[in-house]
Amino acid sequence: MEEMNKTCSCDENCKCGCNEGKPCTCGCSCGKKCKCGCKSFARVVSALLIGAGLCAGGFFPGYYYYQTKMNSNYVTVKGLSEMPVRADLAVWDLKFVVTNNDLSLAQQEIAQKGQMIVSFLKEQGFSDAEIVVESINTNDLMANPYRNEGASASRYILNQTITVRSQKVDLVASSLGKTGDLIAQGIVFENQYATPVSYVFTKLNDIKPKMLEEATKNAEASAQEFAKSSNSTVGKIRRANQGVFSILPSEQTAGASEASQIEKKVRVVSTIEYWLK
């Protein structure tokens, strides 16, 4: 320790440096004890350090125990939000087929019937930009090693799809019911038991923020009810999962398809964890 100057009882300078209670080593011949007081100061410092250690030893276990208890006090709830929507896009596939033993005649026939369909669509009010005529597919039955007997009678099967892609969903729905006029003219549509029109809702991103806000409010209301029954109060959000947005048919009957209905509803279920105090 730092050398300290104290006064010995022999009135000479003591340079013992914390030698209280020991023979004086200041170089005098008095033989008396040095009373520099350094040991008392050391005792005070030691006591303070011990006290601080005891406080720290008691604080940190208690603090972490408190944090552990607080971290276990939360509730997990779900918030539902539903919104009715209307399709803003319709995709209508008109797939038709012709058969003939003569490929050239079959090609002429399918071109003629394709023009009849395009004319029908324009009469309904669709523009050229909304009508897409796709390529012709050809199937030669004689090229099939597993062909049935009599395949040569209608050797060639040609099919073609004309697609209407329009935001006029109501016009598509009304025109769909008039395709019987085309059938009366000898046009054979393929897969008539399948749904030829898909009604699409394309503005999901526009309604997401509002639906998430509503789902969060509903989740918080559920958390409040839970807290009330447990004599707690709801704190901040601990963790949140927005959930998956689902587009469902407006009327969820047996076998109902969302794509076949203009009127739909969007649903999201958010999972949120709240701290409880």
Side-chain angles (χ1 to χ4, degrees):
M1 296 181 64
E2 182 182 357
E3 187 176 77
M4 303 182 63
N5 293 328
K6 297 296 178 179
T7 301
C8 185
S9 58
C10 63
D11 292 331
E12 295 187 18
N13 291 332
C14 173
K15 297 181 180 180
C16 59
C18 297
N19 285 327
E20 181 181 357
K22 296 181 180 180
C24 184
T25 59
C26 58
C28 67
S29 59
C30 64
K32 294 189 176 182
K33 305 278 179 142
C34 176
K35 298 181 180 180
C36 60
C38 294
K39 189 173 182 180
S40 297
F41 174 76
R43 288 175 178 173
V44 172
V45 173
S46 299
L48 290 175
L49 291 175
I50 293 173
L54 291 175
C55 291
F59 169 78
F60 285 107
Y63 173 78
Y64 285 114
Y65 175 78
Y66 172 77
Q67 289 296 321
T68 301
K69 294 294 291 182
M70 288 298 296
N71 290 340
S72 64
N73 292 334
Y74 65 90
V75 61
T76 302
V77 291
K78 295 183 180 296
L80 170 66
S81 177
E82 290 185 341
M83 179 179 294
V85 297
R86 201 169 194 274
D88 55 278
L89 176 66
V91 181
W92 182 13
D93 291 329
L94 296 96
K95 186 175 183 179
F96 59 103
V97 60
V98 300
T99 60
N100 202 300
N101 193 42
D102 188 308
L103 181 59
S104 178
L105 294 177
Q107 187 174 9
Q108 293 177 19
E109 182 181 359
I110 199 168
Q112 178 187 9
K113 292 182 176 179
Q115 186 57 48
M116 292 169 60
I117 294 175
V118 171
S119 298
F120 165 80
L121 294 173
K122 289 184 177 180
E123 290 174 2
Q124 301 306 310
F126 298 105
S127 65
D128 289 332
E130 296 172 309
I131 302 172
V132 178
V133 180
E134 300 182 10
S135 61
I136 299 172
N137 296 318
T138 304
N139 183 15
D140 184 358
L141 295 182
M142 294 299 292
N144 185 353
Y146 304 102
R147 60 182 178 271
N148 296 325
E149 293 183 4
S152 59
S154 297
R155 176 178 175 178
Y156 299 102
I157 301 176
L158 277 64
N159 63 70
Q160 188 176 26
T161 301
I162 296 177
T163 301
V164 176
R165 185 180 179 87
S166 175
Q167 295 180 345
K168 306 168 186 174
V169 292
D170 292 323
L171 181 59
V172 171
S174 61
S175 301
L176 183 62
K178 299 177 182 179
T179 53
D181 297 340
L182 294 172
I183 296 175
Q185 297 178 56
I187 296 178
V188 179
F189 290 101
E190 198 173 85
N191 295 329
Q192 285 299 293
Y193 295 103
T195 304
V197 182
S198 294
Y199 297 103
V200 185
F201 176 67
T202 65
K203 299 178 180 179
L204 180 61
N205 288 335
D206 295 342
I207 64 174
K208 276 185 176 181
K210 184 177 181 180
M211 293 190 65
L212 287 174
E213 180 182 359
E214 181 181 4
T216 302
K217 289 182 179 179
N218 292 336
E220 185 178 3
S222 299
Q224 294 288 359
E225 289 298 323
F226 183 90
K228 186 187 299 183
S229 62
S230 61
N231 295 323
S232 304
T233 57
V234 177
K236 295 181 179 180
I237 293 177
R238 177 177 182 265
R239 185 182 294 118
N241 186 331
Q242 76 166 21
V244 178
F245 283 84
S246 303
I247 303 179
L248 307 171
S250 178
E251 301 296 334
Q252 298 186 54
T253 58
S257 169
E258 168 266 322
S260 65
Q261 296 187 14
I262 296 178
E263 304 297 333
K264 311 172 187 290
K265 63 180 175 182
V266 179
R267 171 186 293 175
V268 63
V269 180
S270 298
T271 303
I272 303 178
E273 296 178 359
Y274 288 94
W275 292 112
L276 292 180
K277 299 179 182 180

